[in-house]
Protein backbone atom coordinates (compact mmCIF):
# COMPACT_ATOMS: atom_id res chain seq x y z
CA UNK A 1 0.00 0.00 0.00
CA UNK A 2 1.42 3.35 -0.95
CA UNK A 3 2.18 5.82 1.80
CA UNK A 4 2.57 9.14 0.07
CA UNK A 5 4.15 12.04 1.90
CA UNK A 6 4.39 14.80 -0.64
CA UNK A 7 4.54 18.53 -0.19
CA UNK A 8 1.73 20.58 -1.65
CA UNK A 9 3.05 22.78 -4.42
CA UNK A 10 1.40 25.13 -6.85
CA UNK A 11 -0.76 24.07 -9.78
CA UNK A 12 2.07 21.93 -11.08
CA UNK A 13 2.00 19.77 -7.95
CA UNK A 14 0.05 17.00 -9.69
CA UNK A 15 2.97 16.51 -12.03
CA UNK A 16 5.18 15.70 -9.05
CA UNK A 17 3.14 12.60 -8.19
CA UNK A 18 4.34 9.40 -9.78
CA UNK A 19 0.80 8.07 -9.53
CA UNK A 20 -2.54 9.22 -8.11
CA UNK A 21 -3.71 8.34 -4.63
CA UNK A 22 -6.01 5.34 -4.90
CA UNK A 23 -9.37 5.34 -3.07
CA UNK A 24 -11.37 2.11 -3.07
CA UNK A 25 -15.15 2.24 -3.53
CA UNK A 26 -16.74 -1.00 -2.31
CA UNK A 27 -20.48 -0.82 -2.96
CA UNK A 28 -22.98 -3.22 -4.55
CA UNK A 29 -23.91 -2.04 -8.03
CA UNK A 30 -26.05 -5.11 -8.71
CA UNK A 31 -28.23 -7.48 -6.68
CA UNK A 32 -30.70 -6.73 -3.91
CA UNK A 33 -28.69 -3.90 -2.31
CA UNK A 34 -28.00 -1.97 -5.51
CA UNK A 35 -31.14 0.12 -4.85
CA UNK A 36 -29.31 1.66 -1.89
CA UNK A 37 -25.60 1.32 -2.67
CA UNK A 38 -25.26 2.57 -6.26
CA UNK A 39 -25.98 6.09 -5.05
CA UNK A 40 -23.13 5.83 -2.54
CA UNK A 41 -20.73 4.89 -5.31
CA UNK A 42 -21.87 7.95 -7.24
CA UNK A 43 -21.47 10.08 -4.11
CA UNK A 44 -17.85 9.02 -3.76
CA UNK A 45 -17.16 9.80 -7.41
CA UNK A 46 -18.62 13.29 -6.91
CA UNK A 47 -16.61 13.92 -3.75
CA UNK A 48 -13.39 12.78 -5.41
CA UNK A 49 -14.08 14.95 -8.45
CA UNK A 50 -14.68 17.95 -6.21
CA UNK A 51 -11.52 17.30 -4.20
CA UNK A 52 -9.41 16.99 -7.34
CA UNK A 53 -10.83 20.29 -8.59
CA UNK A 54 -9.80 21.83 -5.26
CA UNK A 55 -6.23 20.56 -5.57
CA UNK A 56 -6.44 16.90 -4.59
CA UNK A 57 -4.62 15.85 -1.43
CA UNK A 58 -0.92 16.17 -0.63
CA UNK A 59 -0.53 17.71 -4.07
CA UNK A 60 -1.78 14.57 -5.77
CA UNK A 61 -4.84 13.68 -7.79
CA UNK A 62 -7.19 11.10 -6.28
CA UNK A 63 -8.36 8.16 -8.35
CA UNK A 64 -11.42 6.07 -7.51
CA UNK A 65 -11.08 2.30 -7.85
CA UNK A 66 -14.67 1.04 -8.13
CA UNK A 67 -15.56 -2.62 -7.68
CA UNK A 68 -18.93 -4.38 -7.58
CA UNK A 69 -19.34 -7.01 -4.85
CA UNK A 70 -22.85 -7.57 -6.24
CA UNK A 71 -24.74 -7.98 -2.93
CA UNK A 72 -22.70 -11.17 -2.43
CA UNK A 73 -21.32 -11.09 1.12
CA UNK A 74 -18.25 -13.35 0.65
CA UNK A 75 -17.45 -11.42 -2.53
CA UNK A 76 -17.09 -8.27 -0.42
CA UNK A 77 -14.09 -9.87 1.29
CA UNK A 78 -12.55 -10.90 -2.04
CA UNK A 79 -13.02 -7.44 -3.51
CA UNK A 80 -11.58 -5.79 -0.38
CA UNK A 81 -8.48 -7.99 -0.64
CA UNK A 82 -8.20 -7.13 -4.32
CA UNK A 83 -8.43 -3.40 -3.57
CA UNK A 84 -5.71 -3.60 -0.91
CA UNK A 85 -3.26 -6.00 -2.57
CA UNK A 86 -3.74 -5.53 -6.32
CA UNK A 87 -4.88 -1.91 -6.53
CA UNK A 88 -2.98 -0.89 -3.38
CA UNK A 89 -5.66 1.58 -2.34
CA UNK A 90 -4.92 3.85 0.61
CA UNK A 91 -8.46 3.77 1.99
CA UNK A 92 -11.81 2.09 1.26
CA UNK A 93 -15.23 3.70 1.43
CA UNK A 94 -17.96 1.12 1.30
CA UNK A 95 -20.40 -1.51 2.47
CA UNK A 96 -24.03 -1.16 3.50
CA UNK A 97 -25.17 -4.33 5.26
CA UNK A 98 -23.46 -5.46 8.43
CA UNK A 99 -23.00 -8.95 7.04
CA UNK A 100 -20.95 -7.48 4.20
CA UNK A 101 -18.94 -5.38 6.65
CA UNK A 102 -18.23 -8.36 8.87
CA UNK A 103 -17.09 -10.25 5.78
CA UNK A 104 -14.56 -7.49 5.10
CA UNK A 105 -13.30 -7.03 8.68
CA UNK A 106 -10.82 -9.95 8.82
CA UNK A 107 -9.28 -8.84 5.52
CA UNK A 108 -8.71 -5.21 6.42
CA UNK A 109 -7.44 -6.15 9.88
CA UNK A 110 -5.01 -8.68 8.42
CA UNK A 111 -3.73 -6.21 5.80
CA UNK A 112 -4.07 -3.08 7.97
CA UNK A 113 -6.48 -1.44 5.57
CA UNK A 114 -8.81 1.42 6.44
CA UNK A 115 -12.58 1.33 5.90
CA UNK A 116 -15.06 4.17 6.25
CA UNK A 117 -18.48 2.59 6.82
CA UNK A 118 -21.36 5.04 6.15
CA UNK A 119 -24.52 3.26 7.27
CA UNK A 120 -26.43 2.89 10.52
CA UNK A 121 -25.64 -0.42 12.19
CA UNK A 122 -26.18 -2.54 15.29
CA UNK A 123 -23.08 -1.53 17.24
CA UNK A 124 -21.44 -4.21 19.39
CA UNK A 125 -18.25 -3.80 17.39
CA UNK A 126 -15.19 -1.59 17.26
CA UNK A 127 -12.40 -2.29 14.82
CA UNK A 128 -9.07 -0.51 14.77
CA UNK A 129 -9.42 -0.48 10.97
CA UNK A 130 -12.95 0.94 10.62
CA UNK A 131 -14.37 4.41 11.13
CA UNK A 132 -18.14 4.12 11.61
CA UNK A 133 -19.70 7.28 10.17
CA UNK A 134 -23.30 6.05 10.30
CA UNK A 135 -25.46 5.77 13.41
CA UNK A 136 -24.95 3.42 16.33
CA UNK A 137 -28.16 2.18 18.03
CA UNK A 138 -28.12 5.03 20.58
CA UNK A 139 -28.13 7.49 17.66
CA UNK A 140 -31.10 6.00 15.82
CA UNK A 141 -32.90 2.93 17.17
CA UNK A 142 -33.20 3.95 20.82
CA UNK A 143 -34.37 7.53 20.08
CA UNK A 144 -36.94 6.17 17.61
CA UNK A 145 -38.36 3.80 20.23
CA UNK A 146 -38.45 6.65 22.73
CA UNK A 147 -40.48 8.69 20.24
CA UNK A 148 -42.97 5.83 19.85
CA UNK A 149 -43.29 5.42 23.61
CA UNK A 150 -43.41 9.07 24.61
CA UNK A 151 -45.03 10.86 21.67
CA UNK A 152 -47.25 8.24 20.01
CA UNK A 153 -48.21 6.12 23.00
CA UNK A 154 -47.30 2.84 21.30
CA UNK A 155 -48.08 -0.14 23.56
CA UNK A 156 -47.29 -3.07 21.27
CA UNK A 157 -44.27 -3.36 19.00
CA UNK A 158 -43.69 -5.31 15.79
CA UNK A 159 -39.96 -5.59 15.13
CA UNK A 160 -39.70 -6.50 11.45
CA UNK A 161 -36.27 -7.08 9.96
CA UNK A 162 -34.31 -8.68 7.17
CA UNK A 163 -32.68 -11.88 8.40
CA UNK A 164 -29.07 -10.96 9.09
CA UNK A 165 -26.87 -9.60 11.86
CA UNK A 166 -27.94 -5.92 11.87
CA UNK A 167 -31.68 -6.46 12.44
CA UNK A 168 -31.14 -9.36 14.82
CA UNK A 169 -28.64 -7.57 17.04
CA UNK A 170 -30.56 -4.28 16.93
CA UNK A 171 -33.80 -6.03 17.85
CA UNK A 172 -32.05 -7.93 20.64
CA UNK A 173 -31.10 -4.54 22.10
CA UNK A 174 -34.56 -3.11 21.49
CA UNK A 175 -36.39 -6.06 23.06
CA UNK A 176 -34.39 -5.57 26.26
CA UNK A 177 -34.88 -1.81 26.14
CA UNK A 178 -38.64 -2.15 25.64
CA UNK A 179 -38.98 -4.60 28.52
CA UNK A 180 -36.92 -2.28 30.72
CA UNK A 181 -39.48 0.40 29.84
CA UNK A 182 -42.49 -1.68 30.86
CA UNK A 183 -43.49 -3.36 27.58
CA UNK A 184 -44.41 -7.00 28.23
CA UNK A 185 -42.56 -9.61 26.21
CA UNK A 186 -45.88 -10.90 24.81
CA UNK A 187 -46.52 -7.42 23.39
CA UNK A 188 -43.36 -7.58 21.25
CA UNK A 189 -43.70 -9.38 17.90
CA UNK A 190 -40.43 -10.17 16.09
CA UNK A 191 -40.22 -11.38 12.51
CA UNK A 192 -37.35 -11.84 10.05
CA UNK A 193 -37.53 -12.27 6.29
CA UNK A 194 -34.90 -13.01 3.62
CA UNK A 195 -33.24 -10.37 1.49
CA UNK A 196 -35.50 -9.58 -1.47
CA UNK A 197 -38.70 -10.66 0.33
CA UNK A 198 -41.69 -9.83 -1.88
CA UNK A 199 -44.75 -11.46 -0.25
CA UNK A 200 -45.76 -9.44 2.80
CA UNK A 201 -49.47 -10.25 3.08
CA UNK A 202 -49.22 -12.72 5.95
CA UNK A 203 -46.76 -10.64 7.95
CA UNK A 204 -48.80 -7.45 7.59
CA UNK A 205 -51.90 -9.40 8.64
CA UNK A 206 -50.04 -10.62 11.73
CA UNK A 207 -49.10 -7.05 12.61
CA UNK A 208 -52.72 -5.90 12.21
CA UNK A 209 -53.84 -8.75 14.46
CA UNK A 210 -51.60 -7.44 17.25
CA UNK A 211 -53.94 -4.49 17.68
CA UNK A 212 -57.18 -6.45 17.91
CA UNK A 213 -57.33 -5.71 21.65
CA UNK A 214 -57.38 -1.99 20.95
CA UNK A 215 -53.81 -1.27 22.01
CA UNK A 216 -51.71 1.01 19.81
CA UNK A 217 -49.30 -0.97 17.61
CA UNK A 218 -46.11 0.43 16.10
CA UNK A 219 -43.66 -1.14 13.65
CA UNK A 220 -39.90 -0.83 14.04
CA UNK A 221 -38.50 -1.69 10.59
CA UNK A 222 -34.98 -2.95 9.96
CA UNK A 223 -36.03 -4.24 6.54
CA UNK A 224 -33.23 -3.63 4.04
CA UNK A 225 -32.91 -3.20 0.30
CA UNK A 226 -35.63 -3.70 -2.28
CA UNK A 227 -37.77 -5.75 0.13
CA UNK A 228 -39.02 -2.40 1.42
CA UNK A 229 -40.91 -1.83 -1.83
CA UNK A 230 -43.13 -4.86 -1.28
CA UNK A 231 -43.59 -4.12 2.42
CA UNK A 232 -44.87 -0.59 1.91
CA UNK A 233 -47.03 -1.64 -1.04
CA UNK A 234 -48.68 -4.29 1.15
CA UNK A 235 -49.33 -1.74 3.90
CA UNK A 236 -51.06 0.48 1.35
CA UNK A 237 -53.00 -2.43 -0.12
CA UNK A 238 -54.22 -3.35 3.37
CA UNK A 239 -55.42 0.21 3.89
CA UNK A 240 -53.09 0.79 6.85
CA UNK A 241 -52.26 4.43 7.47
CA UNK A 242 -49.67 5.93 9.81
CA UNK A 243 -52.53 6.84 12.16
CA UNK A 244 -53.52 3.17 12.38
CA UNK A 245 -50.08 1.56 12.72
CA UNK A 246 -47.10 3.91 12.46
CA UNK A 247 -43.89 2.50 10.99
CA UNK A 248 -40.47 3.90 11.78
CA UNK A 249 -37.78 2.67 9.42
CA UNK A 250 -34.02 2.63 9.92
CA UNK A 251 -33.04 1.69 6.36
CA UNK A 252 -35.51 3.68 4.28
CA UNK A 253 -34.51 7.11 3.09
CA UNK A 254 -35.15 9.40 0.17
CA UNK A 255 -33.46 7.08 -2.34
CA UNK A 256 -35.64 4.11 -1.45
CA UNK A 257 -38.80 6.25 -1.54
CA UNK A 258 -37.92 7.72 -4.93
CA UNK A 259 -39.16 4.55 -6.62
CA UNK A 260 -42.44 4.36 -4.73
CA UNK A 261 -45.84 5.99 -4.84
CA UNK A 262 -45.65 7.56 -1.39
CA UNK A 263 -49.18 8.96 -1.30
CA UNK A 264 -50.34 6.09 0.93
CA UNK A 265 -47.22 6.29 3.12
CA UNK A 266 -47.69 9.84 4.34
CA UNK A 267 -47.04 10.09 8.07
CA UNK A 268 -44.93 6.96 8.42
CA UNK A 269 -41.54 7.70 9.93
CA UNK A 270 -37.81 7.22 9.54
CA UNK A 271 -35.00 7.89 11.98
CA UNK A 272 -31.68 9.09 10.61
CA UNK A 273 -28.97 11.67 11.28
CA UNK A 274 -29.78 13.59 8.09
CA UNK A 275 -32.69 14.32 5.79
CA UNK A 276 -32.61 16.08 2.42
CA UNK A 277 -35.26 18.47 3.69
CA UNK A 278 -32.95 19.95 6.35
CA UNK A 279 -32.65 23.73 6.13
CA UNK A 280 -29.30 25.45 5.84
CA UNK A 281 -26.76 26.74 3.35
CA UNK A 282 -24.45 23.73 3.63
CA UNK A 283 -27.23 21.28 2.74
CA UNK A 284 -28.50 23.50 -0.08
CA UNK A 285 -25.00 23.61 -1.56
CA UNK A 286 -24.59 19.84 -1.22
CA UNK A 287 -27.93 19.17 -2.95
CA UNK A 288 -27.06 21.59 -5.75
CA UNK A 289 -23.70 19.91 -6.29
CA UNK A 290 -25.24 16.44 -6.24
CA UNK A 291 -27.97 17.25 -8.74
CA UNK A 292 -25.48 18.98 -11.04
CA UNK A 293 -23.35 15.83 -10.90
CA UNK A 294 -25.99 13.09 -10.99
CA UNK A 295 -29.16 14.66 -12.40
CA UNK A 296 -31.66 17.28 -11.31
CA UNK A 297 -34.18 14.70 -10.11
CA UNK A 298 -31.73 12.87 -7.83
CA UNK A 299 -32.28 12.94 -4.08
CA UNK A 300 -29.81 12.93 -1.19
CA UNK A 301 -29.92 10.75 1.93
CA UNK A 302 -28.25 9.96 5.25
CA UNK A 303 -25.50 7.54 4.15
CA UNK A 304 -24.49 10.08 1.51
CA UNK A 305 -23.93 12.63 4.26
CA UNK A 306 -21.94 10.02 6.20
CA UNK A 307 -19.63 9.55 3.19
CA UNK A 308 -19.41 13.34 2.81
CA UNK A 309 -18.31 13.72 6.43
CA UNK A 310 -16.03 10.68 6.42
CA UNK A 311 -14.30 11.58 3.15
CA UNK A 312 -13.63 15.14 4.22
CA UNK A 313 -12.33 13.99 7.61
CA UNK A 314 -10.02 11.54 5.84
CA UNK A 315 -8.73 14.31 3.56
CA UNK A 316 -8.07 16.54 6.57
CA UNK A 317 -6.40 13.71 8.50
CA UNK A 318 -4.13 12.89 5.52
CA UNK A 319 -3.15 16.54 5.23
CA UNK A 320 -2.50 16.73 8.98
CA UNK A 321 -0.43 13.54 8.94
CA UNK A 322 1.39 14.49 5.73
CA UNK A 323 0.92 10.93 4.49
CA UNK A 324 -1.71 8.37 3.52
CA UNK A 325 -0.12 5.75 5.81
CA UNK A 326 -2.99 4.06 7.66
CA UNK A 327 -1.47 4.23 11.15
CA UNK A 328 -0.62 7.90 10.79
CA UNK A 329 -4.02 8.77 9.35
CA UNK A 330 -5.79 6.84 12.12
CA UNK A 331 -3.97 8.86 14.77
CA UNK A 332 -4.85 12.09 12.96
CA UNK A 333 -8.55 11.16 12.77
CA UNK A 334 -9.21 11.45 16.51
CA UNK A 335 -10.91 14.73 17.28
CA UNK A 336 -11.44 15.57 13.61
CA UNK A 337 -14.38 17.92 13.21
CA UNK A 338 -16.41 18.69 10.11
CA UNK A 339 -19.69 20.57 9.67
CA UNK A 340 -22.60 18.25 9.11
CA UNK A 341 -25.37 19.15 6.67
CA UNK A 342 -28.10 19.72 9.25
CA UNK A 343 -26.29 22.36 11.31
CA UNK A 344 -23.72 21.71 13.99
CA UNK A 345 -20.51 19.75 13.77
CA UNK A 346 -19.65 16.06 13.50
CA UNK A 347 -16.75 14.99 15.73
CA UNK A 348 -14.72 11.77 15.44
CA UNK A 349 -14.46 10.06 18.81
CA UNK A 350 -11.71 7.72 20.12
CA UNK A 351 -14.15 4.80 19.66
CA UNK A 352 -14.15 5.43 15.88
CA UNK A 353 -17.76 6.68 15.96
CA UNK A 354 -19.10 10.17 15.31
CA UNK A 355 -21.06 12.54 17.48
CA UNK A 356 -24.12 13.32 15.31
CA UNK A 357 -27.66 14.67 15.78
CA UNK A 358 -30.68 12.36 15.71
CA UNK A 359 -33.55 13.32 13.39
CA UNK A 360 -37.00 11.78 13.03
CA UNK A 361 -38.95 12.57 9.89
CA UNK A 362 -42.45 11.93 8.56
CA UNK A 363 -42.84 10.77 4.98
CA UNK A 364 -44.52 13.41 2.82
CA UNK A 365 -46.48 12.94 -0.40
CA UNK A 366 -43.49 14.01 -2.54
CA UNK A 367 -41.19 11.32 -1.11
CA UNK A 368 -39.38 13.65 1.24
CA UNK A 369 -39.41 13.87 5.05
CA UNK A 370 -40.88 16.51 7.30
CA UNK A 371 -38.41 16.73 10.19
CA UNK A 372 -40.47 16.52 13.39
CA UNK A 373 -37.68 15.93 15.92
CA UNK A 374 -33.99 16.84 16.04
CA UNK A 375 -31.49 16.56 18.87
CA UNK A 376 -28.10 18.12 19.42
CA UNK A 377 -25.07 15.93 18.66
CA UNK A 378 -25.22 12.51 20.35
CA UNK A 379 -21.91 10.64 20.80
CA UNK A 380 -22.01 7.25 19.08
CA UNK A 381 -21.70 4.31 21.48
CA UNK A 382 -19.90 1.22 20.16
CA UNK A 383 -21.21 -0.96 22.99
CA UNK A 384 -24.83 -0.60 24.09
CA UNK A 385 -25.76 0.33 27.65
CA UNK A 386 -28.89 -1.84 27.44
CA UNK A 387 -27.35 -5.33 27.38
CA UNK A 388 -25.59 -6.30 30.64
CA UNK A 389 -22.64 -7.96 28.92
CA UNK A 390 -22.04 -4.85 26.79
CA UNK A 391 -22.72 -2.18 29.39
CA UNK A 392 -19.34 -2.85 31.04
CA UNK A 393 -17.44 -2.46 27.75
CA UNK A 394 -15.96 0.65 26.19
CA UNK A 395 -13.90 1.41 23.10
CA UNK A 396 -10.95 3.80 23.08
CA UNK A 397 -8.37 3.34 20.36
CA UNK A 398 -6.67 6.66 21.08
CA UNK A 399 -5.61 6.30 24.73
CA UNK A 400 -6.39 2.68 25.67
CA UNK A 401 -5.54 1.18 22.27
CA UNK A 402 -8.47 -1.19 22.63
CA UNK A 403 -11.91 -1.50 21.07
CA UNK A 404 -13.27 -3.93 23.67
CA UNK A 405 -12.12 -2.73 27.09
CA UNK A 406 -13.81 -4.11 30.21
CA UNK A 407 -14.26 -1.21 32.62
CA UNK A 408 -14.84 -3.53 35.60
CA UNK A 409 -11.72 -5.65 35.19
CA UNK A 410 -9.80 -2.81 33.50
CA UNK A 411 -8.52 -5.19 30.85
CA UNK A 412 -8.57 -5.26 27.08
CA UNK A 413 -10.71 -8.26 26.21
CA UNK A 414 -9.49 -8.51 22.63
CA UNK A 415 -8.11 -6.39 19.81
CA UNK A 416 -9.53 -8.05 16.71
CA UNK A 417 -13.19 -7.77 15.77
CA UNK A 418 -14.24 -11.43 15.62
CA UNK A 419 -16.88 -10.73 18.28
Amino acid sequence: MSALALSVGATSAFAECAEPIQVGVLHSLSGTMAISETTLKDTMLMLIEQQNAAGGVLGCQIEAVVVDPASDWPLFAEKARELLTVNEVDVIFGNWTSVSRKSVLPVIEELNGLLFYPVQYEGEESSRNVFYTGAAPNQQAIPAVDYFLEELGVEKFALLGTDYVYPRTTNNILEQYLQDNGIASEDIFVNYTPFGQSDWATIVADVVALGEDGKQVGVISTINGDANIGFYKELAAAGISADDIPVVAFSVGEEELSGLDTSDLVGHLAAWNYFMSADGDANAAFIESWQAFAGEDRVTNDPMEAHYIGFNMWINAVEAAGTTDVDAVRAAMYGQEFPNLTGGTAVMLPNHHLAKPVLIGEITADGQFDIISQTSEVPGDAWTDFLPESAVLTSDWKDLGCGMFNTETETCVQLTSNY
Side-chain angles (χ1 to χ4, degrees):
M1 187 178 302
S2 59
L4 301 175
L6 303 173
S7 62
V8 180
T11 56
S12 62
F14 289 156
E16 298 172 11
C17 297
E19 56 186 24
I21 290 176
Q22 304 289 315
V23 170
V25 181
L26 183 67
H27 281 301
S28 293
L29 310 181
S30 56
T32 189
M33 291 308 301
I35 185 177
S36 297
E37 292 194 68
T38 301
T39 291
L40 297 187
K41 177 267 295 181
D42 292 338
T43 302
M44 288 306 305
L45 295 182
M46 178 188 75
L47 293 170
I48 290 169
E49 180 182 281
Q50 290 175 339
Q51 190 63 35
N52 282 335
V57 62
L58 299 179
C60 295
Q61 283 271 344
I62 305 169
E63 184 175 85
V65 182
V66 178
V67 295
D68 177 16
S71 306
D72 180 333
W73 320 135
L75 190 56
F76 269 87
E78 294 179 30
K79 291 296 184 181
R81 186 174 295 277
E82 176 185 312
L83 286 171
L84 292 170
T85 60
V86 178
N87 303 110
E88 297 186 328
V89 301
D90 295 286
V91 64
I92 297 172
F93 291 83
N95 296 82
W96 182 292
T97 67
S98 284
V99 65
S100 72
R101 187 191 68 257
K102 287 187 178 293
S103 176
V104 166
L105 283 175
V107 176
I108 60 172
E109 290 179 345
E110 171 198 341
L111 299 173
N112 197 31
L114 191 61
L115 172 68
F116 281 76
Y117 175 66
V119 184
Q120 89 293 341
Y121 85 122
E122 69 281 359
E124 307 305 283
E125 176 185 303
S126 182
S127 172
R128 185 199 305 270
N129 298 87
V130 180
F131 285 100
Y132 305 81
T133 55
N138 71 306
Q139 296 171 302
Q140 185 189 39
I142 297 297
V145 167
D146 286 342
Y147 187 85
F148 266 28
L149 291 169
E150 296 165 8
E151 302 296 329
L152 301 184
V154 173
E155 301 170 282
K156 287 189 169 185
F157 286 77
L159 309 183
L160 306 183
T162 302
D163 193 3
Y164 74 108
V165 61
Y166 162 61
R168 285 190 173 273
T169 305
T170 299
N171 288 338
N172 187 33
I173 294 168
L174 293 183
E175 280 189 88
Q176 185 61 56
Y177 185 72
L178 287 168
Q179 290 177 42
D180 290 346
N181 280 272
I183 302 297
S185 58
E186 58 266 26
D187 289 336
I188 304 171
F189 169 70
V190 183
N191 184 269
Y192 297 103
T193 45
F195 280 95
Q197 176 77 15
S198 58
D199 182 4
W200 290 93
T202 300
I203 297 163
V204 168
D206 289 341
V207 172
V208 172
L210 279 178
E212 289 178 347
D213 59 359
K215 290 185 176 181
Q216 178 65 58
V217 176
V219 175
I220 306 291
S221 171
T222 48
I223 300 164
N224 261 257
D226 54 11
N228 279 293
I229 296 173
F231 171 62
Y232 281 104
K233 282 184 175 178
E234 184 59 38
L235 285 177
I240 297 170
S241 72
D243 292 333
D244 303 323
I245 301 176
V247 177
V248 63
F250 302 159
S251 296
V252 173
E254 294 84 349
E255 183 71 14
E256 289 75 19
L257 292 180
S258 65
L260 294 175
D261 175 5
T262 57
S263 57
D264 292 318
L265 303 183
V266 172
H268 286 301
L269 307 171
W272 291 99
N273 307 118
Y274 165 88
F275 287 112
M276 184 176 178
S277 56
D279 289 330
D281 293 342
N283 190 37
F286 181 75
I287 294 168
E288 182 180 1
S289 296
W290 171 242
Q291 293 181 337
F293 178 85
E296 62 182 16
D297 60 338
R298 295 293 295 275
V299 297
T300 60
N301 63 24
D302 178 282
M304 290 174 64
E305 189 212 26
H307 263 341
Y308 164 79
I309 293 170
F311 179 74
N312 280 287
M313 284 187 171
W314 178 76
I315 291 290
N316 291 341
V318 168
E319 294 284 4
T323 174
T324 56
D325 174 76
V326 167
D327 293 332
V329 170
R330 180 191 299 111
M333 279 292 297
Y334 303 127
Q336 283 287 341
E337 298 184 2
F338 198 80
N340 61 48
L341 296 174
T342 60
T345 302
V347 182
M348 182 56 70
L349 307 173
N351 65 3
H352 286 202
H353 291 68
L354 290 175
K356 302 173 75 177
V358 182
L359 284 66
I360 295 176
E362 285 187 351
I363 298 174
T364 59
D366 61 355
Q368 288 291 316
F369 291 88
D370 179 22
I371 298 170
I372 57 176
S373 173
Q374 180 169 346
T375 71
S376 57
E377 284 79 4
V378 175
D381 192 358
W383 301 98
T384 185
D385 294 334
F386 306 110
L387 297 176
E389 61 271 23
S390 296
V392 299
L393 299 176
T394 191
S395 167
D396 185 339
W397 290 107
K398 179 176 180 287
D399 295 322
L400 298 178
C402 181
M404 192 180 191
F405 187 85
N406 188 308
T407 57
E408 290 187 341
T409 62
E410 297 188 345
T411 57
C412 185
V413 180
Q414 63 188 68
L415 287 171
T416 55
S417 62
N418 60 329
Y419 308 125

